[in-house]
Amino acid sequence: MIKHVYSLALLAALSLPALAQDYKELPDPRRVDPVAWNAVKPGTHVYFGSADIRYDKLYAPEAASLRRSWEGHAWKGERVHTQFVVFTTTPLQNVSIETGALRDAQGHTIPATAVKPGFLRYVMTDELNAEGGGCGHRKPQDFDSSLVADAIDNISTINIGARQTQPVWLSVRVPANTAPGVYKGQVRVKANGRYLPDVLPYQVTVSSRTLPAPKDWAFHLDLWQSPYAVARVHQTPVWSQQHLDAMRPYMQMLADAGQKVVTASIIYDPWNSQTEDIYGDMVKWTKKKDGSWHYDYSVFDKWVSFMESVGIDKQIACYSMIPWNLKFYYHDEVARRDTFIVAKPGTAEYDAHWRPMLADFAKHLQAKGWFDKTCIAMDERPMEAMQHAIKLIRSVNKDFKVSLAGLYHKELVNDIYDYCVAAGSDFTKEEHRERAEKGWPSTFYTCCTEGFPNTFTFSPPAEAAWMGWHAANRNYSGYLRWAYNCWVKNPLQDSRFRTWAAGDTYLVYPGARTSIRFERLIEGIQAYEKVRILRAEGKAGPLEGILKKFEINALKAKPAGEMVTTVSEALNKL
């Protein structure tokens, strides 16, 4: 087999701008009518905007979305955000943002270190297909492409061209020990060596309630990670110390979002090379000369231990006993080469290949203390294939946990520990209750199938937050998305991919840059936690009627932003 190895020659040939302190965005392919800026007063303008809007780079923002101040509401321990925009008719150099501590009337403070502004960067996106979804092979020329604001950069200064708009994300992370009260602060913008005259005041009303730390959130977040994409972009040898060091800030960001699951590929290429970077085999399979098997878990152990070190330690999902191409790779000592078999679940050849591995893997996991939190994981596999695999797993060790992200099948509900169903399908109320009583995660996922709600780079930002509210409405345990960081060739500049709608393959950007989509997703998870706490106290009654409206079909009539704003305002009153 051909392994995905990063040679020095290949690394030297890469020309990604991923790790540069700054980089050049692609030009927008659209033509702008020169009169579009004629109604804008000459000079530079600074206003608060809306977190629901992806502000266009080449057009001035619509006045209806702008305001001079902002008021946010937060529980202690929560992070809240908004967006403001700088738009100008003349070029600006070395634009920087100045924020400071927030203070209440009693002299309490939210420290300046808790306030973080970030310039929004523009990435190329496309659109849904003719059927209204995001699946299928695509060529850029067949879709309308444009620049959209999505990545939130870590740079301290930026230049803004004449007749351009520059949005800025403003995040406030309220410390858990903050005294309740109304905290006031301001934003100032500096350009061309001097402060702009507009000062933006804002305030955050901090509740007496406390949100638990992300590691203690009940929400079962499962965003699949790709260590191999990080190795390519950072140009490090796979599984070297440099590779682990490069991954740490990304995985820490994920832990801070409440991630529960480690994505581990225990075979080579479980998803039939669907991503830019093939998933390698974290377990090395070797068929010995005497016909016995040897399994090298050194990479698997290194990966799981590393993820534990950043705080992602609740579950290990091992993919996959049913890969999409049904190919199983191994090294053959007799032939002295890497090779593979193709075997279908339920066949004698399949059982003979997996039975010794499962037995050996169980012993290894038990020795490491990981057995109870490990799942043999599959995704979008037919029910019959799943039943064959589960039967084999149980015959080797009845206590092995199984997970599946796929269609709902009543026949599998009592066999799968971590069951994630496709958006639009669900368990019965009784199944939800019974699984919850057993402590089994029952979640939902979105993928390229759903035109909405989704987290494409062109999706309305509020749809990412909507996921958490939908989970609260349906009593799901959480949410799964197949790609946290499966980066395309030039992820900072172009989010389009050869298959699926733009942005489908990643939520965060190289250089440990977050995004509007990721921040809004966290917003929805925090809301879920608030609802869970209020329900436990018997105080969520006023929310329940609004929550029932968080159904996918409702998005056909009402934008996600409007729905999220309405329910958030109701929550802030409790």
Side-chain angles (χ1 to χ4, degrees), residues 126-141:
D126 52 25
E127 59 183 345
L128 297 175
N129 57 32
E131 291 74 37
C135 297
H137 288 267
R138 49 179 58 206
K139 297 178 181 179
Q141 61 267 28

Side-chain angles (χ1 to χ4, degrees), residues 51 111 113 134 147 203 219 225 450 457 488:
T113 53
L147 287 183
Q203 65 183 44
F219 192 90
Q225 315 96 46
E450 293 78 31
T457 44
V488 295

Side-chain angles (χ1 to χ4, degrees), residues 129-368:
N129 57 32
E131 291 74 37
C135 297
H137 288 267
R138 49 179 58 206
K139 297 178 181 179
Q141 61 267 28
D142 296 335
F143 293 85
D144 185 19
S145 296
S146 61
L147 287 183
V148 290
D150 190 55
I152 302 173
D153 214 337
N154 302 318
I155 56 176
S156 58
T157 63
I158 200 169
N159 298 328
I160 306 175
R163 296 191 170 189
Q164 286 188 3
T165 295
Q166 176 59 61
V168 184
W169 196 258
L170 182 67
S171 176
V172 180
R173 190 183 293 250
V174 179
N177 61 354
T178 303
V182 178
Y183 290 77
K184 297 183 178 182
Q186 65 179 25
V187 173
R188 297 196 70 182
V189 180
K190 194 173 185 180
N192 300 333
R194 58 185 178 81
Y195 287 106
L196 299 181
D198 294 329
V199 177
L200 298 181
Y202 69 98
Q203 65 183 44
V204 177
T205 300
V206 178
S207 166
S208 59
R209 293 186 173 276
T210 302
L211 191 70
K215 67 181 180 62
D216 298 320
W217 292 347
F219 192 90
H220 191 82
L221 180 64
D222 187 1
L223 304 180
W224 296 0
Q225 315 96 46
S226 173
Y228 305 95
V230 177
R232 168 175 60 91
V233 168
H234 282 260
Q235 303 182 10
T236 64
V238 182
W239 304 120
S240 65
Q241 186 59 49
Q242 298 98 310
H243 184 202
L244 298 177
D245 292 342
M247 287 194 290
R248 188 167 295 278
Y250 301 102
M251 302 312 160
Q252 191 63 63
M253 287 167 58
L254 188 55
D256 289 344
Q259 173 76 8
K260 299 295 187 287
V261 187
V262 179
T263 308
S265 49
I266 58 172
I267 66 169
Y268 178 75
D269 195 16
W271 292 289
N272 196 24
S273 307
Q274 71 169 357
T275 51
E276 188 68 26
D277 304 283
I278 296 174
Y279 280 74
D281 42 358
M282 295 182 181
V283 177
K284 304 297 181 183
W285 299 49
T286 300
K287 191 171 186 179
K288 309 289 284 184
K289 291 179 180 179
D290 62 2
S292 64
W293 287 91
H294 173 73
Y295 309 98
D296 181 352
Y297 302 107
S298 56
V299 170
F300 176 84
D301 293 351
K302 180 179 288 190
W303 172 234
V304 173
S305 297
F306 167 77
M307 292 296 275
E308 286 184 332
S309 76
V310 299
I312 301 175
D313 57 3
K314 298 297 189 296
Q315 188 171 312
I316 308 165
C318 299
Y319 293 93
S320 169
M321 276 186 68
I322 316 177
W324 288 16
N325 56 11
L326 294 180
K327 287 184 178 181
F328 301 100
Y329 295 85
Y330 64 95
H331 181 76
D332 190 323
E333 276 193 349
V334 173
R336 291 188 294 182
R337 64 184 177 88
D338 294 334
T339 186
F340 64 87
I341 64 169
V342 178
K344 183 179 180 180
T347 64
E349 188 176 23
Y350 180 89
D351 286 6
H353 188 75
W354 274 102
R355 185 177 297 279
M357 191 277 178
L358 289 169
D360 193 77
F361 194 34
K363 292 178 182 178
H364 180 76
L365 292 168
Q366 289 164 346
K368 298 290 291 186

